[in-house]
Amino acid sequence: MAQPGDYVFTEYTLPSGAARHGVRYYDLDRKRQLKQGFKSRGEAERWWFGTAGVEGKRAQLLRGADVRAGVGSTPLSTYQQQWVQDTDLAHATVTNAKSLWHKHVEPVFGDTPVNTITRHRVQTWVRGMTQAGVGYETRRLALLHLGRLLTAAADTGAVTYVATAGVSPGKRGQATDIYVPTQAQARAVINAVDPRYRLLVKVLALTGMRQGEAFALRVQDLDLDSTPAFAEVSRTVDASAGKIKPRTKTGQSRKVTVAPALVDELRQYIAGKDKDDLVFTSPQGRAIRAGNWRRRVWDPAIAKAQQQDPTMERFTPHELRHMYATNVLASGVPVFQVTKELGHSSTTMTQDIYARWSPEAGAAAADAAAAALGYGTDNTTAVDTDKDKDTSTTAVDTDKDTDADADATPNKDTDTDTAASRRARRFADRGVPPVLRRD
């Protein structure tokens, strides 16, 4: 492999016939460069090797390579420690990244000098996780975190490229199972929760917001007079410290549609509050901390609902988000719109988590397939086949409709029984517009 400072002198001729010289060499990133335009070989050598009073280009490259080699020998664990100190990601994301580091990244790369981590070694690591039965999502997130650390190393000049670039986490298995509460379970908890927080639980169930996003909502974030009403989600409450962070989990703000059923209740709830006030607060008027709220409000509500229905399973506030996403997708809302509402980074993520089979959606798909082939929901034979042409049902049309379709619909009693006429009758009976009919 070529190293920084490797070189060869070149010579070429201009159109005028004059001879020129150059130097082809490799830079610090091991990329080939070419310096031309020297009138003599000696001039090219002086530029490359330098003179008594001027440092040459080769010496600069070698000195830079030595510096990089020193930085590059820093173990990956140093960048992990620095990342933990500097990151501004959400508490849950940092906690998950620490877990991935200790379980999957550190055992393989923790003490490894960053300039020795190659793409091949990363690929081998991913294959090892796959063979050990590590799930796709864990592999993906571990690879993402390793990429964060190597990107930090590249920023310091310790490595010339990020070895995780272009590496796949492997084949995706089946979607991770998630628990989706039923509408009855959600209503039971809403009825059982402390009345002070009943509207908050409704907001979580009917908007799909993350807990921290709902806790951080300000009065000025709500636009209840627009059609439809919406909330501007741009902040979150840190789950551990209870402090408001000026960014969401993905770092992007978004508009979340507020269901009409919530508008009047929200308007009454925020009456008398200033625009900078939080919509939902703790009893002391401060930002709600997720751990305290779950222990003091949510868990007692679940326990109370289970007293009414002992068969009801426990579920978390975040699983109301699962219920929202699953329900709206099953009702036919386009996946890209659901992705925007949830604040996901891609539609792929939304589909992988929430686009799953349900009895209602399965029945709708079966009905659509039957209708496309001409089968009704109440009969088992296809309509408008050649076999049925003499026993077709009688349609009741208005005179206006009959006149309008006279040119487009063949008369079954007078047309000759040709293949073209039979095809035209099938088009007409199935309601295919004339412009879409093919002869």
Side-chain angles (χ1 to χ4, degrees):
M1 178 183 293
Q3 299 297 320
D6 288 354
Y7 69 96
V8 62
F9 290 107
T10 63
E11 183 177 357
Y12 61 99
T13 303
L14 296 176
S16 63
R20 290 291 185 268
H21 298 265
V23 185
R24 193 181 301 276
Y25 63 95
Y26 287 89
D27 63 13
L28 289 175
D29 295 325
R30 296 187 176 90
K31 294 182 180 179
R32 194 165 60 176
Q33 306 292 342
L34 177 62
K35 175 70 173 179
Q36 293 181 316
F38 301 107
K39 294 182 179 180
S40 66
R41 171 67 178 264
E43 185 181 355
E45 290 178 348
R46 287 191 294 274
W47 177 83
W48 180 244
F49 293 114
T51 62
V54 179
E55 184 180 42
K57 181 65 175 179
R58 185 168 186 267
Q60 295 174 8
L61 289 174
L62 294 178
R63 180 161 48 81
D66 289 341
V67 172
R68 281 199 175 185
V71 178
S73 62
T74 304
L76 186 68
S77 57
T78 300
Y79 291 95
Q80 167 68 10
Q81 296 169 6
Q82 192 64 43
W83 179 83
V84 171
Q85 294 175 7
D86 297 342
T87 185
D88 62 348
L89 293 176
H91 173 75
T93 304
V94 175
T95 301
N96 188 45
K98 287 180 179 178
S99 175
L100 292 168
W101 165 260
H102 291 302
K103 291 181 180 178
H104 302 290
V105 183
E106 185 180 28
V108 178
F109 297 116
D111 297 327
T112 304
V114 290
N115 63 354
T116 66
I117 300 177
T118 62
R119 187 171 288 113
H120 175 72
R121 293 186 67 177
V122 174
Q123 290 170 333
T124 302
W125 169 62
V126 171
R127 282 197 297 271
M129 286 195 293
T130 304
Q131 293 167 0
V134 177
Y136 171 85
E137 191 63 15
T138 300
R139 299 195 307 269
R140 185 185 71 82
L141 292 175
L143 184 63
L144 174 65
H145 186 61
L146 176 59
R148 290 190 190 112
L149 303 182
L150 292 177
T151 298
D155 291 343
T156 65
V159 295
T160 58
Y161 71 100
V162 177
T164 56
V167 177
S168 168
K171 292 184 178 180
R172 186 187 300 271
Q174 291 186 343
T176 303
D177 286 337
I178 58 173
Y179 181 74
V180 180
T182 65
Q183 290 91 331
Q185 290 173 331
R187 285 194 295 269
V189 174
I190 290 172
N191 293 332
V193 78
D194 183 340
R196 176 187 177 88
Y197 296 107
R198 187 163 293 155
L199 179 58
L200 171 57
V201 177
K202 288 182 181 179
V203 168
L204 293 174
L206 296 179
T207 66
M209 287 187 202
R210 301 178 180 92
Q211 275 187 91
E213 294 171 345
F215 295 163
L217 277 180
R218 297 166 297 184
V219 172
Q220 65 180 350
D221 296 327
L222 298 176
D223 189 343
L224 303 178
D225 296 323
S226 65
T227 305
F230 67 87
E232 185 75 28
V233 177
S234 60
R235 313 186 315 161
T236 190
V237 175
D238 186 277
S240 60
K243 296 181 179 179
I244 296 176
K245 288 189 172 183
R247 52 170 289 163
T248 63
K249 180 179 180 179
T250 59
Q252 297 180 340
S253 62
R254 70 185 189 279
K255 286 182 172 60
V256 174
T257 305
V258 175
L262 295 174
V263 172
D264 288 341
E265 199 169 351
L266 277 170
R267 189 176 280 116
Q268 294 175 8
Y269 193 85
I270 63 176
K273 291 191 175 187
D274 294 333
K275 66 176 184 178
D276 292 327
D277 289 345
L278 292 172
V279 176
F280 304 107
T281 64
S282 69
Q284 294 76 30
R286 295 192 291 267
I288 298 174
R289 297 180 66 162
N292 291 343
W293 187 79
R294 181 168 177 174
R295 185 171 59 256
R296 298 170 182 172
V297 179
W298 179 263
D299 288 346
I302 290 286
K304 185 176 179 181
Q306 287 179 321
Q307 291 177 357
Q308 302 295 324
D309 180 8
T311 64
M312 190 184 89
E313 293 189 44
R314 297 181 65 86
F315 60 94
T316 67
H318 189 75
E319 285 167 335
L320 291 174
R321 177 174 165 90
H322 298 335
M323 182 191 72
Y324 166 85
T326 302
N327 288 342
V328 295
L329 281 172
S331 68
V333 177
V335 66
F336 70 85
Q337 179 62 33
V338 180
T339 297
K340 294 292 185 184
E341 297 281 343
L342 294 174
H344 282 166
S345 57
S346 69
T347 55
T348 301
M349 181 178 182
T350 307
Q351 290 174 315
D352 288 343
I353 299 175
Y354 299 117
R356 53 192 66 233
W357 186 88
S358 68
E360 297 80 4
D367 290 344
L373 292 177
Y375 287 86
T377 57
D378 298 328
N379 61 332
T380 58
T381 58
V383 299
D384 296 324
T385 62
D386 291 342
K387 180 179 178 180
D388 298 330
K389 65 179 179 292
D390 294 328
T391 59
S392 59
T393 58
T394 304
V396 179
D397 297 325
T398 63
D399 291 341
K400 181 178 180 180
D401 291 337
T402 303
D403 293 339
D405 294 336
D407 294 334
T409 307
N411 188 318
K412 296 184 181 181
D413 297 328
T414 59
D415 282 357
T416 57
D417 194 19
T418 65
S421 64
R422 291 196 300 272
R423 185 162 55 248
R425 288 200 299 273
R426 288 198 297 273
F427 280 142
D429 289 336
R430 293 176 185 177
V432 178
V435 70
L436 297 181
R437 300 180 186 179
R438 296 177 59 186
D439 294 331

mmCIF file of all heavy atoms in Angstrom, residues 32 63 111 129 137 236 242 254 294 322 331 349 400 409:
data_model
loop_
_atom_site.group_PDB
_atom_site.id
_atom_site.type_symbol
_atom_site.label_atom_id
_atom_site.label_comp_id
_atom_site.label_asym_id
_atom_site.label_seq_id
_atom_site.Cartn_x
_atom_site.Cartn_y
_atom_site.Cartn_z
ATOM 1 N N ARG A 32 -3.420 10.048 -4.528
ATOM 2 C CA ARG A 32 -2.368 10.424 -5.477
ATOM 3 C C ARG A 32 -2.557 11.861 -5.964
ATOM 4 O O ARG A 32 -3.665 12.250 -6.334
ATOM 5 C CB ARG A 32 -2.371 9.469 -6.681
ATOM 6 C CG ARG A 32 -1.127 9.571 -7.543
ATOM 7 C CD ARG A 32 -1.002 8.402 -8.473
ATOM 8 N NE ARG A 32 -2.140 8.302 -9.375
ATOM 9 C CZ ARG A 32 -2.229 7.395 -10.352
ATOM 10 N NH1 ARG A 32 -1.254 6.515 -10.514
ATOM 11 N NH2 ARG A 32 -3.290 7.360 -11.134
ATOM 12 N N ARG A 63 6.406 14.608 8.114
ATOM 13 C CA ARG A 63 6.175 15.147 9.446
ATOM 14 C C ARG A 63 4.695 15.035 9.813
ATOM 15 O O ARG A 63 4.334 14.675 10.940
ATOM 16 C CB ARG A 63 6.627 16.606 9.504
ATOM 17 C CG ARG A 63 6.436 17.276 10.860
ATOM 18 C CD ARG A 63 7.314 18.516 10.975
ATOM 19 N NE ARG A 63 7.202 19.368 9.805
ATOM 20 C CZ ARG A 63 6.202 20.233 9.598
ATOM 21 N NH1 ARG A 63 5.259 20.340 10.498
ATOM 22 N NH2 ARG A 63 6.178 20.982 8.507
ATOM 23 N N ASP A 111 -9.682 -1.302 23.314
ATOM 24 C CA ASP A 111 -8.265 -0.963 23.458
ATOM 25 C C ASP A 111 -7.538 -0.861 22.119
ATOM 26 O O ASP A 111 -6.313 -0.745 22.076
ATOM 27 C CB ASP A 111 -7.569 -2.014 24.331
ATOM 28 C CG ASP A 111 -8.121 -2.040 25.746
ATOM 29 O OD1 ASP A 111 -8.522 -0.961 26.229
ATOM 30 O OD2 ASP A 111 -8.171 -3.123 26.359
ATOM 31 N N MET A 129 -21.438 -10.777 15.320
ATOM 32 C CA MET A 129 -22.662 -10.501 16.072
ATOM 33 C C MET A 129 -23.845 -11.251 15.472
ATOM 34 O O MET A 129 -24.686 -11.793 16.187
ATOM 35 C CB MET A 129 -22.944 -8.990 16.084
ATOM 36 C CG MET A 129 -22.029 -8.194 16.999
ATOM 37 S SD MET A 129 -22.645 -6.512 17.312
ATOM 38 C CE MET A 129 -22.497 -5.783 15.658
ATOM 39 N N GLU A 137 -31.664 -4.860 14.954
ATOM 40 C CA GLU A 137 -31.700 -3.488 15.459
ATOM 41 C C GLU A 137 -30.516 -3.214 16.384
ATOM 42 O O GLU A 137 -29.935 -2.126 16.361
ATOM 43 C CB GLU A 137 -33.021 -3.220 16.188
ATOM 44 C CG GLU A 137 -33.281 -1.757 16.513
ATOM 45 C CD GLU A 137 -33.415 -0.884 15.274
ATOM 46 O OE1 GLU A 137 -33.592 -1.435 14.173
ATOM 47 O OE2 GLU A 137 -33.323 0.350 15.425
ATOM 48 N N THR A 236 -37.807 18.617 24.353
ATOM 49 C CA THR A 236 -38.099 17.418 25.135
ATOM 50 C C THR A 236 -37.571 17.615 26.548
ATOM 51 O O THR A 236 -36.681 18.446 26.779
ATOM 52 C CB THR A 236 -37.471 16.164 24.497
ATOM 53 O OG1 THR A 236 -37.962 14.994 25.156
ATOM 54 C CG2 THR A 236 -35.953 16.195 24.603
ATOM 55 N N GLY A 242 -34.721 15.956 34.382
ATOM 56 C CA GLY A 242 -35.927 16.763 34.373
ATOM 57 C C GLY A 242 -35.731 18.128 33.744
ATOM 58 O O GLY A 242 -36.566 19.019 33.911
ATOM 59 N N ARG A 254 -41.179 19.334 14.470
ATOM 60 C CA ARG A 254 -42.239 18.861 13.568
ATOM 61 C C ARG A 254 -43.582 19.362 14.068
ATOM 62 O O ARG A 254 -43.715 19.771 15.233
ATOM 63 C CB ARG A 254 -42.258 17.334 13.488
ATOM 64 C CG ARG A 254 -42.743 16.643 14.760
ATOM 65 C CD ARG A 254 -42.612 15.131 14.632
ATOM 66 N NE ARG A 254 -43.258 14.416 15.724
ATOM 67 C CZ ARG A 254 -42.724 14.230 16.909
ATOM 68 N NH1 ARG A 254 -41.531 14.729 17.186
ATOM 69 N NH2 ARG A 254 -43.388 13.555 17.847
ATOM 70 N N ARG A 294 -44.297 8.415 36.257
ATOM 71 C CA ARG A 294 -44.735 7.036 36.057
ATOM 72 C C ARG A 294 -45.001 6.347 37.396
ATOM 73 O O ARG A 294 -45.987 5.620 37.545
ATOM 74 C CB ARG A 294 -43.677 6.264 35.267
ATOM 75 C CG ARG A 294 -44.069 4.818 35.003
ATOM 76 C CD ARG A 294 -43.169 4.169 33.984
ATOM 77 N NE ARG A 294 -43.502 2.766 33.799
ATOM 78 C CZ ARG A 294 -42.957 1.983 32.890
ATOM 79 N NH1 ARG A 294 -42.050 2.477 32.067
ATOM 80 N NH2 ARG A 294 -43.304 0.722 32.801
ATOM 81 N N HIS A 322 -47.314 3.412 20.388
ATOM 82 C CA HIS A 322 -47.476 2.243 19.517
ATOM 83 C C HIS A 322 -48.939 2.092 19.087
ATOM 84 O O HIS A 322 -49.225 1.782 17.925
ATOM 85 C CB HIS A 322 -47.038 0.968 20.248
ATOM 86 C CG HIS A 322 -45.593 0.959 20.652
ATOM 87 N ND1 HIS A 322 -44.635 1.698 20.003
ATOM 88 C CD2 HIS A 322 -44.942 0.283 21.636
ATOM 89 C CE1 HIS A 322 -43.460 1.486 20.563
ATOM 90 N NE2 HIS A 322 -43.617 0.642 21.559
ATOM 91 N N SER A 331 -55.939 2.288 9.593
ATOM 92 C CA SER A 331 -57.104 3.003 9.063
ATOM 93 C C SER A 331 -56.863 3.557 7.664
ATOM 94 O O SER A 331 -57.768 4.136 7.068
ATOM 95 C CB SER A 331 -57.485 4.148 10.009
ATOM 96 O OG SER A 331 -56.484 5.152 10.004
ATOM 97 N N MET A 349 -38.406 3.009 8.886
ATOM 98 C CA MET A 349 -38.473 2.770 10.333
ATOM 99 C C MET A 349 -39.919 2.612 10.781
ATOM 100 O O MET A 349 -40.254 1.709 11.562
ATOM 101 C CB MET A 349 -37.812 3.928 11.074
ATOM 102 C CG MET A 349 -37.799 3.762 12.588
ATOM 103 S SD MET A 349 -36.957 5.138 13.403
ATOM 104 C CE MET A 349 -37.053 4.602 15.112
ATOM 105 N N LYS A 400 -81.242 9.910 -18.001
ATOM 106 C CA LYS A 400 -80.074 10.767 -18.224
ATOM 107 C C LYS A 400 -78.805 9.945 -18.343
ATOM 108 O O LYS A 400 -77.986 10.160 -19.224
ATOM 109 C CB LYS A 400 -79.949 11.756 -17.059
ATOM 110 C CG LYS A 400 -78.780 12.715 -17.209
ATOM 111 C CD LYS A 400 -78.747 13.697 -16.053
ATOM 112 C CE LYS A 400 -77.571 14.650 -16.198
ATOM 113 N NZ LYS A 400 -77.519 15.613 -15.084
ATOM 114 N N THR A 409 -71.541 2.494 -24.297
ATOM 115 C CA THR A 409 -71.954 1.172 -23.849
ATOM 116 C C THR A 409 -72.682 0.433 -24.956
ATOM 117 O O THR A 409 -73.730 0.868 -25.408
ATOM 118 C CB THR A 409 -72.882 1.293 -22.629
ATOM 119 O OG1 THR A 409 -72.238 2.089 -21.645
ATOM 120 C CG2 THR A 409 -73.234 -0.082 -22.081
#
